[in-house]
Amino acid sequence: MAEVFLSPLVGAMLDGLNSWSLKGLELAGSLKTEVESLESTLTTIQAVLQDAEEKQRKSEAIKNWLGKLKQAAYDLEVVLEDFNTEALSRSLHTDARSQVTSFFSLRNPLLFRLDMARKLKNLREKLDAIAGEKSKFHLREGVGEAEIERNEDRQTSSLVKESEVFGRADEKEKIVSMLLCNVSHHDDLSVYAICGMGGLGKTTIAQLVYNDENVAKVFDLRGWVSIVESFGGNWGDIQELDPLQRCLVEKLVGKRFLLVLDDVWNEYHDKFDRLKQALQCGRKGSTVIVTTRLEKVALMMATTPLYRLGCLWDDDSWSLFKQRAFGMGTNGPTPTWKPLGGK
Ligand SMILES: Nc1ncnc2c1ncn2[C@@H]1O[C@H](COP(=O)(O)OP(=O)(O)OP(=O)(O)O)[C@@H](O)[C@H]1O
Ligand SMILES: [Mg+2]
């Protein structure tokens, strides 16, 4: 079966449903309920569609699922076309004669609405059942080519110019001392999670900790993995995990290591549990630091209380803003601009 791409069709249907009320079709009663339910079902499907379209190349099951969805979407398209035609004809026949429609004719607005509501209900139930199956595929919401391209730009490394980082000394100290304390007290692998909204400085703080000289001294081995692609994307196929884990174990066995998993997005317990199992081979005190925007991911991974990163202090934020706007080492704007920048 050829690859299936439905995002444009589903997007167009949602736009169509949204605009119905604008076309003078009064949605009331069961028809209104059905249209709303349908919008909600289509929105749920649309959220994972781009990820499914990407993954169908590797998964026959996802391709079949998209095939079923395509059939249902085409059926729905036909019904929606009917509805649009009705809207058009009603707007063209506004003379008194056309108002006197036979009660039994489908043109009777009430009967037409009931008939539409019934058809939409059938299709919506079919789509609900298809949408229900999506959980089997662990599809991610809001992921598409654009995001995957962006992901490539999101690769990070452990390198940081500490002199160009504003503030964060206290936060760094706190994490470093927590980490060093744990190294000597904990037998099992410790997993720290730094979480907070995008751009807050999670990667930056992880870089500072990773490069701290006391941290460097205490671990035999340190590694930095930018997760976006490796854990989130390419680990989709579970068979690939085995050789990876073996390789990891060979490198880490008997060593006290620090591993940073930067920018974790997915919440697949099973994958992380397998990775964690493999990482148990390290020496006492081995540690993983995870950075993530998602608190549920942080809660799933961490073995210690979460580190919720706060914002920079005002002065540091202002310095960062000046650095980004005017470049490093310049005096920047006159002080009178500061209140404006603060906004
Ligand atoms: N304290 C800081 N001083 C100087 N630059 C900073 C500071 N905090 C963050 N930055 C800069 O801001 C940008 C975003 O920071 P960073 O990548 O650490 O955020 P993040 O929380 O990891 O974001 P994301 O959720 O997108 O991964 C980077 O270019 C980083 O160098
Ligand atoms: Mg980051």
Side-chain angles (χ1 to χ4, degrees):
M1 184 170 60
E3 285 178 20
V4 184
F5 292 95
L6 287 173
S7 299
L9 179 61
V10 172
M13 281 177 183
L14 274 169
D15 288 347
L17 289 173
N18 285 331
S19 69
W20 273 1
S21 50
L22 300 178
K23 288 180 181 165
L25 286 165
E26 323 81 59
L27 301 176
S30 57
L31 182 55
K32 185 167 191 281
T33 314
E34 276 313 320
V35 167
E36 283 168 2
S37 309
L38 190 58
E39 278 184 279
S40 144
T41 303
L42 285 177
T43 307
T44 321
I45 291 173
Q46 191 190 38
V48 296
L49 211 46
Q50 284 184 297
D51 195 29
E53 287 168 351
E54 282 297 320
K55 287 181 176 156
Q56 66 180 311
R57 284 174 216 141
K58 285 190 180 170
S59 163
E60 205 53 33
I62 294 182
K63 197 193 269 184
N64 288 338
W65 181 74
L66 282 170
K68 271 198 273 182
L69 191 58
K70 179 174 151 189
Q71 194 48 55
Y74 283 171
D75 293 347
L76 179 62
E77 198 184 20
V78 173
V79 175
L80 298 186
E81 272 305 307
D82 266 8
F83 209 100
N84 282 333
T85 312
E86 174 68 10
L88 190 66
S89 85
R90 284 175 69 184
S91 67
L92 291 175
H93 297 89
T94 48
D95 58 297
R97 203 156 40 105
S98 66
Q99 307 282 324
V100 193
T101 46
S102 154
F103 184 81
F104 297 101
S105 139
L106 269 188
R107 273 285 152 80
N108 176 291
L110 179 64
L111 284 186
F112 180 76
R113 277 198 220 117
L114 286 173
D115 186 50
M116 282 302 295
R118 185 184 51 77
K119 285 182 180 162
L120 287 184
K121 182 168 183 279
N122 288 343
L123 280 166
R124 199 252 310 144
E125 284 172 355
K126 206 168 175 184
L127 283 164
D128 272 345
I130 297 173
E133 287 177 36
K134 73 182 166 51
S135 57
K136 288 193 292 202
F137 307 124
H138 299 299
L139 297 171
R140 290 183 295 162
E141 293 191 4
V143 176
E145 270 171 47
E147 178 132 347
I148 286 163
E149 276 163 26
R150 225 177 334 125
N151 284 346
E152 278 158 19
D153 299 336
R154 295 183 54 80
Q155 297 287 330
T156 60
S157 82
S158 63
L159 299 180
V160 64
K161 272 195 184 163
E162 195 155 352
S163 58
E164 292 182 11
V165 176
F166 302 103
R168 298 302 191 201
D170 291 348
E171 288 90 339
K172 177 189 145 184
E173 251 351 278
K174 198 168 167 193
I175 298 176
V176 167
S177 43
M178 222 158 52
L179 212 122
L180 296 180
C181 170
N182 248 14
V183 161
S184 39
H185 290 101
H186 273 251
D187 287 340
D188 290 335
L189 181 79
S190 303
V191 183
Y192 293 87
I194 302 173
C195 67
M197 66 180 175
L200 200 58
K202 302 176 294 294
T203 299
T204 306
I205 196 93
Q207 288 164 330
L208 294 176
V209 171
Y210 184 94
N211 289 297
D212 178 87
E213 57 179 21
N214 292 321
V215 169
K217 261 191 247 159
V218 91
F219 292 100
D220 307 321
L221 205 64
R222 285 173 302 146
W224 182 280
V225 187
S226 185
I227 288 300
V228 176
E229 275 306 290
S230 34
F231 192 62
N234 298 340
W235 284 35
D237 193 351
I238 219 85
Q239 287 100 332
E240 292 169 19
L241 265 173
D242 189 56
L244 263 179
Q245 287 190 353
R246 281 174 191 283
C247 174
L248 203 61
V249 171
E250 271 170 32
K251 292 218 177 335
L252 301 182
V253 72
K255 301 208 170 86
R256 178 184 286 156
F257 62 84
L258 170 67
L259 181 65
V260 176
L261 304 178
D262 186 38
D263 209 9
V264 180
W265 282 86
N266 80 45
E267 43 189 298
Y268 300 158
H269 288 253
D270 51 344
K271 283 183 190 163
F272 184 62
D273 286 347
R274 281 163 185 242
L275 177 66
K276 214 150 94 177
Q277 243 172 21
L279 295 177
Q280 298 292 351
C281 65
R283 190 156 69 88
K284 175 182 163 158
S286 291
T287 302
V288 175
I289 297 177
V290 171
T291 83
T292 179
R293 286 185 195 179
L294 307 175
E295 186 147 331
K296 57 185 171 183
V297 170
L299 285 168
M300 186 265 288
M301 296 177 101
T303 60
T304 61
L306 301 194
Y307 191 87
R308 291 184 181 84
L309 189 62
C311 296
L312 284 173
W313 292 108
D314 282 358
D315 283 349
D316 294 323
S317 300
W318 176 239
S319 303
L320 178 57
F321 176 75
K322 276 194 300 182
Q323 182 217 65
R324 289 300 155 108
F326 303 101
M328 203 68 190
T330 59
N331 289 329
T334 58
T336 48
W337 287 28
K338 193 173 173 182
L340 190 64
K343 288 179 184 167

Coordinates of all heavy atoms in Angstrom, one line a residue, residues 154 156 164-168 196-205 207 262-263 265 291-293 309 312 316 320 323-324, ligand 1:
R154 N 18.4 21.3 17.6 CA 18.3 21.3 19.0 C 19.4 20.5 19.6 O 19.5 20.3 20.8 CB 17.0 20.8 19.5 CG 15.8 21.7 19.1 CD 14.5 21.2 19.7 NE 14.6 20.9 21.1 CZ 14.5 21.9 22.0 NH1 14.3 23.1 21.7 NH2 14.6 21.6 23.3
T156 N 22.6 19.4 21.4 CA 23.5 20.2 22.3 C 24.7 19.4 22.6 O 24.8 18.2 22.3 CB 22.7 20.5 23.6 OG1 22.4 19.2 24.2 CG2 21.5 21.3 23.4
E164 N 30.4 33.4 30.1 CA 29.3 34.0 29.4 C 27.9 33.7 29.9 O 26.9 34.0 29.4 CB 29.3 33.7 27.9 CG 30.5 34.3 27.2 CD 30.6 34.0 25.7 OE1 29.6 33.5 25.1 OE2 31.6 34.3 25.1
V165 N 27.9 33.0 31.1 CA 26.7 32.6 31.7 C 26.4 33.6 32.8 O 27.3 33.8 33.7 CB 26.7 31.2 32.3 CG1 25.4 30.8 33.0 CG2 26.9 30.1 31.2
F166 N 25.2 34.1 32.8 CA 24.9 35.1 33.9 C 24.1 34.4 35.0 O 23.3 33.5 34.8 CB 23.9 36.2 33.3 CG 24.6 36.9 32.2 CD1 24.2 36.6 30.9 CD2 25.6 37.9 32.4 CE1 24.8 37.3 29.8 CE2 26.2 38.5 31.4 CZ 25.8 38.3 30.1
G167 N 24.5 34.7 36.2 CA 23.8 34.2 37.4 C 24.1 32.6 37.5 O 25.1 32.1 37.0
R168 N 23.1 32.0 38.1 CA 23.1 30.5 38.2 C 24.1 29.9 39.1 O 24.3 28.7 39.1 CB 23.2 29.8 36.8 CG 22.0 30.2 35.8 CD 20.7 29.8 36.4 NE 19.6 29.8 35.5 CZ 18.3 29.9 35.8 NH1 18.0 30.0 37.1 NH2 17.4 30.0 34.9
G196 N 11.7 22.5 33.6 CA 11.3 23.9 33.5 C 11.0 24.2 32.0 O 11.3 23.4 31.1
M197 N 10.4 25.4 31.8 CA 9.9 25.7 30.5 C 11.1 25.9 29.5 O 12.2 26.1 29.9 CB 9.0 27.0 30.5 CG 9.8 28.2 30.9 SD 8.6 29.6 30.9 CE 9.7 30.8 31.5
G198 N 10.7 25.9 28.2 CA 11.7 26.0 27.2 C 12.5 27.3 27.3 O 12.0 28.4 27.6
G199 N 13.8 27.2 27.1 CA 14.7 28.4 27.1 C 15.1 29.0 28.5 O 15.8 30.0 28.6
L200 N 14.6 28.3 29.5 CA 14.9 28.8 30.9 C 16.3 28.6 31.3 O 16.8 29.4 32.1 CB 14.0 27.9 31.8 CG 13.7 28.5 33.2 CD1 13.0 29.9 33.1 CD2 12.8 27.6 34.0
G201 N 17.0 27.7 30.7 CA 18.4 27.5 31.0 C 18.8 26.1 31.6 O 19.8 26.0 32.2
K202 N 17.9 25.2 31.3 CA 18.1 23.8 31.8 C 19.4 23.2 31.3 O 20.2 22.7 32.0 CB 16.9 22.9 31.5 CG 15.6 23.3 32.0 CD 14.5 22.4 31.5 CE 14.3 22.4 30.0 NZ 13.8 23.7 29.5
T203 N 19.6 23.3 30.0 CA 20.8 22.8 29.3 C 22.0 23.5 29.9 O 23.0 22.9 30.2 CB 20.7 22.9 27.8 OG1 19.6 22.2 27.4 CG2 21.9 22.4 27.1
T204 N 21.9 24.8 30.0 CA 23.0 25.6 30.5 C 23.4 25.2 31.9 O 24.6 25.0 32.2 CB 22.6 27.1 30.5 OG1 22.1 27.5 29.2 CG2 23.8 28.0 30.9
I205 N 22.5 25.0 32.8 CA 22.8 24.6 34.2 C 23.4 23.2 34.2 O 24.4 22.9 34.9 CB 21.6 24.8 35.1 CG1 22.1 24.7 36.6 CG2 20.6 23.7 35.0 CD1 22.3 26.1 37.1
Q207 N 25.1 21.9 31.8 CA 26.5 22.1 31.3 C 27.5 22.6 32.4 O 28.6 22.1 32.5 CB 26.5 23.1 30.1 CG 25.9 22.5 28.8 CD 25.6 23.7 27.8 OE1 25.3 24.8 28.2 NE2 25.7 23.3 26.6
D262 N 20.1 15.1 27.8 CA 19.6 16.5 27.6 C 18.4 16.5 26.7 O 18.4 16.0 25.6 CB 20.8 17.4 27.1 CG 20.3 18.9 27.0 OD1 19.6 19.3 28.0 OD2 20.6 19.6 26.1
D263 N 17.4 17.2 27.2 CA 16.2 17.5 26.4 C 15.4 16.2 26.1 O 15.2 15.9 24.9 CB 16.6 18.1 25.1 CG 15.6 19.0 24.5 OD1 14.6 19.3 25.2 OD2 15.7 19.5 23.4
W265 N 12.0 14.2 25.8 CA 10.6 14.5 25.5 C 9.6 13.4 25.7 O 8.5 13.6 26.0 CB 10.4 15.0 24.0 CG 10.9 16.4 23.9 CD1 12.2 16.8 23.6 CD2 10.1 17.6 23.9 NE1 12.3 18.2 23.5 CE2 11.0 18.7 23.7 CE3 8.8 17.9 24.2 CZ2 10.6 20.0 23.7 CZ3 8.3 19.2 24.2 CH2 9.2 20.2 23.9
T291 N 17.5 16.5 31.6 CA 16.8 17.8 31.5 C 15.6 17.6 30.6 O 15.6 16.9 29.6 CB 17.7 19.0 30.9 OG1 17.6 18.9 29.5 CG2 19.1 18.9 31.4
T292 N 14.5 18.2 31.0 CA 13.2 18.1 30.2 C 12.3 19.3 30.5 O 12.3 19.9 31.6 CB 12.5 16.8 30.6 OG1 11.3 16.7 29.8 CG2 12.2 16.6 32.1
R293 N 11.5 19.6 29.5 CA 10.5 20.6 29.7 C 9.3 20.0 30.4 O 8.5 20.7 31.0 CB 10.0 21.2 28.4 CG 11.0 22.1 27.7 CD 10.4 22.7 26.5 NE 11.4 23.2 25.6 CZ 11.2 23.8 24.5 NH1 10.0 23.9 24.0 NH2 12.2 24.3 23.8
L309 N 13.8 24.3 37.8 CA 14.6 25.5 37.6 C 13.8 26.8 37.6 O 12.7 26.9 36.9 CB 15.4 25.4 36.3 CG 16.5 26.4 36.0 CD1 17.6 26.3 37.1 CD2 17.1 26.2 34.6
L312 N 15.9 33.6 36.0 CA 17.1 34.3 36.4 C 16.6 35.5 37.2 O 15.5 36.0 37.0 CB 17.8 34.8 35.1 CG 18.6 33.9 34.3 CD1 19.1 34.5 33.0 CD2 19.8 33.4 35.1
D316 N 20.4 39.6 36.1 CA 21.0 38.6 35.2 C 20.1 38.5 33.9 O 20.7 38.4 32.8 CB 21.0 37.2 35.9 CG 22.0 37.2 37.0 OD1 23.0 37.9 36.9 OD2 21.7 36.6 38.1
L320 N 21.6 39.2 30.2 CA 21.4 38.3 29.1 C 20.7 38.9 27.9 O 21.1 38.8 26.8 CB 20.6 37.1 29.6 CG 20.3 36.0 28.6 CD1 21.5 35.4 28.0 CD2 19.5 34.8 29.2
Q323 N 23.1 41.1 26.2 CA 24.1 40.4 25.5 C 23.6 39.9 24.2 O 24.2 39.9 23.1 CB 24.6 39.2 26.4 CG 25.6 38.3 25.7 CD 25.4 36.8 26.0 OE1 24.4 36.2 25.6 NE2 26.3 36.2 26.8
R324 N 22.3 39.4 24.2 CA 21.7 38.9 23.0 C 21.3 40.0 22.0 O 21.4 39.9 20.8 CB 20.4 38.1 23.3 CG 20.7 36.8 24.0 CD 21.5 35.9 23.1 NE 22.3 35.0 23.8 CZ 22.1 33.7 23.8 NH1 21.1 33.2 23.1 NH2 22.9 32.9 24.5
Ligands
LIG1 N1 22.2 32.2 32.7 C1 22.4 32.3 31.4 N2 23.4 33.1 30.9 C2 23.6 33.2 29.6 N3 22.9 32.6 28.6 C3 22.0 31.8 29.0 C4 21.6 31.6 30.4 N4 20.6 30.7 30.5 C5 20.3 30.4 29.2 N5 21.1 31.0 28.4 C6 21.0 31.0 26.9 O1 19.7 30.9 26.5 C7 19.5 29.9 25.5 C8 18.5 28.9 26.1 O2 19.1 28.2 27.2 P1 19.1 26.7 27.4 O3 19.3 26.0 26.1 O4 20.0 26.3 28.5 O5 17.5 26.5 27.8 P2 16.7 25.2 28.0 O6 15.9 25.4 29.2 O7 17.6 24.0 27.9 O8 15.8 25.2 26.7 P3 15.1 24.0 26.0 O9 13.9 23.6 26.8 O10 14.7 24.6 24.7 O11 16.1 22.9 25.9 C9 20.8 29.3 25.2 O12 21.3 30.0 24.1 C10 21.7 29.6 26.4 O13 23.0 29.8 26.1

